[in-house]
């Protein structure tokens, strides 16, 4: 489904082909919405559930997966929306940095399969750079003396077998905790994935880790034993994905146990980081989440101002808003008050902007106003076309006319 789209029992029933099953699934989604105070799913006026501002996947305990994609165009093209989301996620978190977007042209996969594919890409990088080994202490009862004789165990086990030796010795093996975690993740994903390509890749990596033992209990303790140093940095992303899959650590925390798994992204944060980091590449002297000033001079411990984007030491200030703007009435007064507060506090401010995603090509809004003529502060609205690689920096980074 696309962001802001509604879902109900009838829609689920068309997919699962069973009325009772659809009813149970919808109740679980309702419970999830209530547990999280309608943060991820909200009730529409018709009594259906509707996604808003959060995208990703929600999997019920019965295995039904709700895939929510962002609203990125007037028409709901799911493949295009998925491609844009993944492009934006590359700026959101380092787990997505190495993913090749070109592969989406040949893979029409659900989001969950794409995330599995991202983890497998990290596994491929580890395989190419080398599976880390470590000296592991092994204890064996064998026919020759090797390492250190464990006398008490030797006497107890070999009283009638003087030809044997119970010894402890170091052996250089891949059976270290990081590899155990990765193998455990592969075994879990092998049961989940329905993609033939992902299944084949998982089998290949399991063969590579054949000597490694999976973790059967206390996964949290295993993660606490991980040591990432300079020689292990290329393991970091794969282990981060492993933690997400094994411990169900979503990018956004959620409450309740009515569902099996949720992987959700706050599109406000995704859009903010995408615009901010692209602008850092395209403009000079860009700072993100700047927090120099407070609303009140007397008490700076509270009400700290934190504009999303500050350019040229406050000459240009911008805030990003993930909202569907269809007309001027959709522009929130709260957003305007917020941007005006920035203009008042930054002494050398000459322009403030609100940046929204461009959804409607036909939208025409007068977006150039003077806030205060004596201080010569301009206000503009900018719409970012997510389908283009460049941001509308002619509105954002352009020199200000004096």
């Amino acid at each position: 489904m696309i962001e802001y789209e509604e879902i109900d029992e009838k829609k689920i029933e068309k997919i699962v082909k069973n009325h009772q099953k659809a009813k149970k699934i919808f109740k679980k989604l309702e419970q999830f919405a209530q547990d999280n105070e309608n943060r991820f799913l909200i009730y529409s006026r018709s009594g259906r559930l509707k996604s808003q501002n959060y995208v990703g996947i929600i999997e019920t305990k019965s295995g039904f997966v709700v895939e929510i994609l962002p609203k990125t165009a007037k028409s709901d093209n799911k493949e295009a929306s998925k491609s844009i989301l993944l492009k934006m996620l590359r700026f959101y978190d380092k787990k997505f940095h190495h993913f090749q977007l070109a592969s989406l042209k040949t893979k029409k996969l659900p989001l969950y399969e794409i995330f599995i594919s991202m983890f497998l890409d990290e596994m491929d990088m580890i395989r190419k750079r080398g599976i880390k080994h470590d000296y592991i202490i092994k204890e064996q009862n064998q026919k020759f003396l090797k390492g250190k004789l464990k006398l008490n165990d030797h006497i107890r086990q070999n009283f009638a077998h003087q030809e044997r030796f119970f010894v402890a010795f170091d052996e250089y093996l891949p059976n270290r905790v990081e590899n155990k975690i990765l193998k455990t993740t592969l075994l879990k994903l092998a049961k989940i994935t329905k993609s033939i390509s992902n299944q084949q890749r998982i089998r290949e990596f399991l063969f590579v880790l054949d000597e490694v033992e999976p973790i059967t209990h206390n996964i949290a303790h295993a993660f606490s034993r991980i040591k990432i140093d300079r020689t292990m940095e290329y393991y970091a992303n794969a282990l981060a994905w492993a933690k997400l899959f094994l411990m169900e650590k979503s990018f956004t925390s959620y409450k309740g146990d009515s569902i099996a798994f949720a992987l959700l992204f706050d599109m406000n944060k995704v859009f903010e980081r995408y615009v901010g980091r692209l602008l850092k590449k395209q403009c000079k002297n860009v700072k993100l989440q700047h927090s120099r000033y407070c609303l009140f001079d007397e008490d700076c411990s509270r009400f700290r101002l934190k504009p999303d984007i500050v350019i040229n030491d406050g000459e240009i200030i911008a805030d990003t808003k993930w909202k569907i703007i269809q007309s001027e009435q959709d522009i929130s007064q709260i957003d305007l008050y917020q941007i005006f507060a920035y203009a008042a506090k930054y002494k050398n401010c000459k322009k403030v902007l609100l940046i929204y995603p461009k959804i409607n090509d036909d939208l025409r809004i007068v977006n150039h106003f003077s806030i205060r003529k004596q201080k010569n502060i301009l206000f503009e609205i900018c719409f970012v076309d997510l389908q283009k690689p460049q941001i509308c920096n002619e509105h954002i980074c352009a020199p200000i006319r004096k």
Side-chain angles (χ1 to χ4, degrees), residues 1-9 11-12 22-35 37-52 58 60 66 68 259:
M1 60 188 290
I2 298 291
E3 191 181 11
Y4 304 105
E5 188 179 339
E6 297 179 353
I7 188 171
D8 58 10
E9 287 183 25
K11 204 166 193 177
I12 296 172
K23 191 173 182 180
K24 289 179 182 179
I25 290 170
F26 188 71
K27 280 191 174 297
K28 291 294 182 183
L29 293 174
E30 280 186 314
Q31 187 61 51
F32 177 69
Q34 292 167 11
D35 289 342
E37 299 172 348
N38 298 325
R39 183 184 175 196
F40 306 117
L41 297 173
I42 63 173
Y43 282 103
S44 66
R45 291 179 181 177
S46 58
R48 302 182 182 95
L49 289 174
K50 179 172 70 172
S51 63
Q52 182 171 270
I58 302 170
T60 67
V66 178
I68 308 168
I259 62 165

Side-chain angles (χ1 to χ4, degrees), residues 50-220:
K50 179 172 70 172
S51 63
Q52 182 171 270
N53 291 340
Y54 284 89
V55 302
I57 52 175
I58 302 170
E59 182 183 359
T60 67
K61 292 181 178 178
S62 65
F64 184 82
V65 177
V66 178
E67 180 178 278
I68 308 168
L69 298 171
K71 180 82 173 176
T72 57
K74 199 172 181 180
S75 60
D76 295 337
N77 184 332
K78 292 187 178 181
E79 292 304 318
S81 180
K82 189 183 299 180
S83 180
I84 289 170
L85 172 62
L86 292 167
K87 180 179 71 173
M88 295 172 70
L89 288 178
R90 293 186 73 181
F91 295 83
Y92 178 75
D93 191 278
K94 63 182 181 179
K95 297 183 189 70
F96 302 95
H97 287 179
H98 301 130
F99 186 69
Q100 299 298 316
L101 290 174
S103 63
L104 289 179
K105 294 178 181 178
T106 56
K107 292 181 182 176
K108 292 187 177 181
L109 296 174
L111 269 181
Y112 199 90
E113 295 289 0
I114 292 173
F115 295 146
I116 292 174
S117 182
M118 289 180 180
F119 167 70
L120 297 177
D121 286 346
E122 297 294 340
M123 286 296 304
D124 194 45
M125 188 179 299
I126 291 173
R127 178 176 61 178
K128 289 174 180 176
R129 295 190 61 175
I131 302 295
K132 279 290 181 180
H133 288 55
D134 205 351
Y135 284 103
I136 309 295
I137 297 176
K138 295 192 72 175
E139 295 182 356
Q140 284 184 355
N141 198 21
Q142 50 190 29
K143 294 181 180 179
F144 53 89
L145 185 61
K146 177 183 179 181
K148 179 182 178 181
L149 181 69
K150 300 202 72 175
L151 190 59
N152 290 338
D153 293 312
H154 173 69
I155 293 171
R156 184 171 62 253
Q157 295 201 28
N158 296 327
F159 182 77
H161 297 278
Q162 297 186 6
E163 76 284 1
R164 291 184 175 273
F165 303 91
F166 195 93
V167 294
F169 56 92
D170 290 336
E171 194 165 352
Y172 200 55
L173 297 169
N175 199 36
R176 54 187 294 165
V177 66
E178 294 85 1
N179 293 331
K180 289 181 178 182
I181 288 171
L182 295 180
K183 183 166 185 177
T184 307
T185 307
L186 289 167
L187 290 170
K188 178 175 181 178
L189 296 181
K191 299 175 183 177
I192 295 172
T193 181
K194 294 177 177 63
S195 162
I196 295 174
S197 174
N198 283 345
Q199 289 172 357
Q200 182 179 350
R201 295 179 74 192
I202 288 172
R203 286 194 295 269
E204 290 173 4
F205 293 129
L206 286 173
F207 178 77
V208 172
L209 298 177
D210 185 55
E211 295 181 85
V212 177
E213 300 169 358
I215 299 167
T216 56
H217 62 283
N218 206 343
I219 295 289

